[in-house]
Amino acid sequence: MDVLCLLFYAKNRWEKIRLLNTIKRKGQRQPSPRFDMAEVLGTHPEDLSVHGLDAKGKLFWNLPVETLVEMAVVRGEGAYSAHKALVTETGERTGRSPNDKYIVDEPTTRDDVNWGDVNISTDAETFSNMRNKVLAYLAKRNELFVQDLYCGADMSESLPIRVINETAWHNAFARNMFIRPSADQITKHTPEFTVFHAPNFEASEEDGLNSQCFVIVNYQAGEVLIGGTKYAGEIKKSIFSVMNLILPKKGILPMHCSANTNGRNTAVFFGLSGTGKTTLSADPKRALIGDDEHGWGANGVFNFEGGCYAKLIDLSEEDEPEIFGTTRKFGSILENVVMDEKGIPDFQDISKTQNTRGSYPIEFIDNRTADSTGGHPQNVIFLTCDAFGVLPPISRLTSEQAAYHFISGYTAKVAGTEIGVKEPQATFSACFGEPFMPMHPGVYADLLSSKMEQHNAKAWLINTGWSGGPYGVGNRMKLKYTRAMLNAALDGDLDDVRYVIDERFGFSIPTECPNVPNEVLQPIQTWGDQASYHKAADNLAEMFVNNFKRYEAGVSDAVNASSPKSLSN
């Protein structure tokens, strides 16, 4: 009997899966293309009525990414690159929409959330109204795509989630980005949070929101509503925000960071977008744990995700071979990447956006840990891209300075990255991820300090930005130098060298480092005009001080004393 017929006659989904596994073991030809099997494998014994969603169309449940990619192309949601990666466009919104993100003000979390301009409140009535509209919209789709997944590789702390999409493309993204359950786990899966994702549904003026776009989290209901934006990152970041409220109550530190390990020594890398988290954690000498979101719990570090969402601007095979290689694999999703007439991605072309992205399962990185976990970190790295050219390329921090710089979360935008930005602009984002941190930054800083003290971890500040002058005058720090300094710190090669104290910022700067010219380590020595350096450094110090005023009352005197000082005063 034809294999496809056998699949149709199988009694249930699990029998179909067992049959397919038997086919693979015996080397029989599998049904092709995968798209022909979509309805067969995508069925599920449940419907979506448990969510109050009476879907009229077909439900495709827990499809593999390869099938979803093929369906996305057939449905006109994207196109293949020359290497069969899925290339998509997000339209007007090519990044997150922080002004359109809301948390429902309700009794179970009201006292936990640090309400304000970042954590914007909305009421239960507004949520209910938008929920009814989104579910009514999804119910009318001809096809819906559902994934049952987990957030958190440490299964003792993992959050079971369900993602419901109107597009195959975004469903593939969700499957790439979260932890994919085993056949045994899927039988026991009960979602504690559900994401209703309707990118083509827009809010109206009568809904009382800021725009047609919305991301609304309701902790009491265990639900997220997303609409009016095709930017896929909103899916993963919404669940990251959920973890950032749940885990601290258990004594677990959620972190916007990448992480890697050599088996004996684990490191975490904090940093805002564009500072090098993904690049520097993908080290051939160390195994990747994950590139963006982690927890630090009783057993050490664990990845929240099952994939990576890397920035692709200026990606090159020479500098980042492993990440470059993922863009040439079937199952990767490239967002807003420009291709030439042959379908070859041009990662230098930013005509659509500077925020070009690639989503791929972590299995596409060969050099990774098998279970996306690592031990307790011995080194905590804060990454910044200082476009003013002031901060040293590497500094060692005291525990108080670590808390100060963690809460500050500094980097700088360069000219041309946004409309109206004509010179470097300082950006401060508490805990290097303020938009995703529902609680007061002091909660996360206290957790970090206690865990660093408990496990005797060292703290380092690494500047991947400019040297010899600000953006437009100096040059970006060479990646080979940054890697050399980072490896020296992680390997203990900087433990016994001589340090000098920066008189303005207070941290310790090594006077030598293997494979790095000594003069590069001291930023003032790389400037041709030292008076200009002092002026720029004083300006940056004052920016730090002004930013930290909103946190002064919530931290210790020792942390406040770690604030930089302007030498011109």
Side-chain angles (χ1 to χ4, degrees):
M1 183 180 291
D2 182 80
V3 171
L4 192 56
C5 292
L6 285 172
L7 287 169
F8 271 113
Y9 280 112
K11 294 179 181 178
N12 56 51
R13 183 171 186 271
W14 312 117
E15 189 173 321
K16 292 166 188 172
I17 291 174
R18 285 193 293 271
L19 178 59
L20 278 175
N21 288 335
T22 301
I23 293 169
K24 290 178 182 178
R25 285 195 300 270
K26 293 184 177 181
Q28 296 182 34
R29 184 180 66 84
Q30 298 179 53
S32 180
R34 293 182 184 88
F35 184 44
D36 292 339
M37 296 163 54
E39 289 185 72
V40 180
L41 291 177
T43 55
H44 193 276
E46 300 176 14
D47 57 23
L48 295 175
S49 60
V50 66
H51 303 292
L53 177 52
D54 183 18
K56 306 300 183 185
K58 298 175 184 176
L59 294 180
F60 297 107
W61 212 296
N62 295 321
L63 292 181
V65 167
E66 295 83 357
T67 302
L68 290 165
V69 165
E70 289 187 341
M71 294 181 75
V73 173
V74 170
R75 288 162 52 94
E77 297 170 6
Y80 285 128
S81 73
H83 306 97
K84 216 176 180 184
L86 176 65
V87 182
T88 63
E89 293 189 22
T90 63
E92 177 186 359
R93 295 177 184 263
T94 59
R96 292 182 300 101
S97 301
N99 295 329
D100 300 299
K101 175 176 167 285
Y102 305 87
I103 299 174
V104 177
D105 185 351
E106 41 81 14
T108 67
T109 56
R110 181 170 296 146
D111 295 335
D112 298 322
V113 176
N114 184 35
W115 302 105
D117 294 337
V118 173
N119 297 306
I120 306 170
S121 68
T122 190
D123 55 32
E125 183 179 354
T126 299
F127 174 81
S128 179
N129 173 59
M130 295 308 299
R131 185 185 192 278
N132 290 338
K133 289 186 175 184
V134 168
L135 266 63
Y137 171 84
L138 290 174
K140 295 177 182 177
R141 300 309 96 196
N142 291 330
E143 297 172 333
L144 289 179
F145 302 86
V146 188
Q147 289 289 337
D148 285 332
L149 303 160
Y150 290 91
C151 183
D154 184 340
M155 282 298 158
S156 66
E157 304 297 345
S158 189
L159 179 72
I161 65 170
R162 176 168 291 164
V163 183
I164 303 170
N165 305 97
E166 64 170 307
T167 58
W169 151 30
H170 290 100
N171 202 237
F173 174 87
R175 189 167 180 87
N176 268 353
M177 297 311 303
F178 292 108
I179 304 291
R180 294 161 288 280
S182 65
D184 179 61
Q185 288 170 332
I186 198 69
T187 64
K188 305 169 185 175
H189 185 282
T190 301
E192 294 181 18
F193 255 86
T194 299
V195 178
F196 299 97
H197 185 253
N200 294 311
F201 174 81
E202 296 183 347
S204 61
E205 188 174 344
E206 66 184 24
D207 294 322
L209 303 177
N210 289 336
S211 75
Q212 76 275 13
C213 169
F214 55 92
V215 179
I216 309 177
V217 180
N218 188 328
Y219 286 92
Q220 187 173 41
E223 294 180 341
V224 180
L225 306 176
I226 301 176
T229 173
K230 295 180 183 177
Y231 180 66
E234 297 285 15
I235 299 172
K236 84 182 205 99
K237 289 303 185 184
S238 66
I239 293 298
F240 182 37
S241 298
V242 167
M243 297 291 276
N244 289 343
L245 189 69
I246 293 174
L247 293 186
K249 298 177 183 180
K250 301 179 180 180
I252 299 171
L253 174 64
M255 303 178 290
H256 184 214
C257 72
S258 58
N260 66 22
T261 185
N262 62 7
R264 304 177 309 279
N265 181 311
T266 296
V268 293
F269 303 77
F270 291 94
L272 300 177
S273 181
T275 56
K277 292 196 312 298
T278 300
T279 300
L280 293 173
S281 55
D283 188 320
K285 298 179 181 179
R286 300 171 64 86
L288 179 71
I289 300 171
D291 82 324
D292 197 39
E293 298 165 5
H294 294 80
W296 187 349
N299 301 318
V301 171
F302 61 95
N303 193 355
F304 284 175
E305 303 180 291
C308 302
Y309 192 41
K311 289 195 76 168
L312 301 182
I313 183 173
D314 294 330
L315 179 69
S316 72
E317 187 171 16
E318 179 182 359
D319 288 340
E320 301 170 80
E322 283 210 280
I323 298 173
F324 186 88
T326 68
T327 68
R328 299 189 166 206
K329 293 189 177 183
F330 181 41
S332 286
I333 303 170
L334 310 183
E335 281 186 348
N336 298 314
V337 170
V338 176
M339 296 188 292
D340 65 17
E341 64 279 0
K342 297 180 180 179
I344 305 295
D346 182 353
F347 299 118
Q348 283 67 48
D349 190 327
I350 56 173
S351 57
K352 294 179 182 178
T353 179
Q354 292 220 3
N355 191 34
T356 50
R357 293 274 180 171
S359 164
Y360 48 89
I362 200 166
E363 288 82 2
F364 282 7
I365 299 293
D366 292 331
N367 186 26
R368 59 181 175 83
T369 60
D371 59 359
S372 293
T373 67
H376 295 286
Q378 289 79 47
N379 291 279
V380 174
I381 313 295
F382 301 134
L383 299 171
T384 183
C385 177
D386 177 28
F388 298 101
V390 166
L391 295 180
I394 187 167
S395 314
R396 191 172 62 188
L397 309 180
T398 66
S399 58
E400 294 81 11
Q401 289 169 344
Y404 182 92
H405 284 278
F406 180 62
I407 292 175
S408 296
Y410 164 72
T411 193
K413 300 173 184 176
V414 299
T417 58
E418 292 185 6
I419 295 173
V421 179
K422 300 185 183 303
E423 59 185 33
Q425 280 189 1
T427 299
F428 295 92
S429 183
C431 309
F432 294 95
E434 189 170 13
F436 325 116
M437 304 293 177
M439 306 178 88
H440 189 281
V443 174
Y444 307 105
D446 288 345
L447 272 171
L448 177 64
S449 295
S450 64
K451 289 187 177 296
M452 288 181 62
E453 182 178 358
Q454 181 182 357
H455 300 287
N456 197 29
K458 299 173 186 174
W460 306 88
L461 178 66
I462 291 182
N463 173 23
T464 63
W466 271 256
S467 176
Y471 173 82
V473 177
N475 297 299
R476 185 116 191 226
M477 185 62 59
K478 293 181 179 180
L479 180 58
K480 68 176 182 180
Y481 290 162
T482 299
R483 283 203 183 278
M485 289 180 277
L486 174 62
N487 289 334
L490 299 182
D491 295 341
D493 294 339
L494 298 181
D495 289 353
D496 299 320
V497 304
R498 187 173 70 89
Y499 286 79
V500 295
I501 304 298
D502 184 283
E503 57 182 347
R504 186 176 281 102
F505 291 93
F507 33 56
S508 301
I509 307 173
T511 57
E512 58 183 293
C513 176
N515 302 312
V516 180
N518 290 348
E519 63 272 13
V520 170
L521 300 171
Q522 308 296 327
I524 192 170
Q525 295 181 14
T526 66
W527 283 56
D529 182 352
Q530 295 194 357
S532 295
Y533 167 81
H534 283 296
K535 181 179 179 181
D538 279 342
N539 286 338
L540 181 57
E542 289 174 2
M543 293 179 197
F544 268 95
V545 171
N546 291 333
N547 171 72
F548 207 79
K549 287 178 180 178
R550 53 184 169 151
Y551 307 120
E552 287 176 344
V555 301
S556 68
D557 291 342
V559 172
N560 277 317
S562 299
S563 179
K565 302 167 181 63
S566 173
L567 300 185
S568 61
N569 295 334

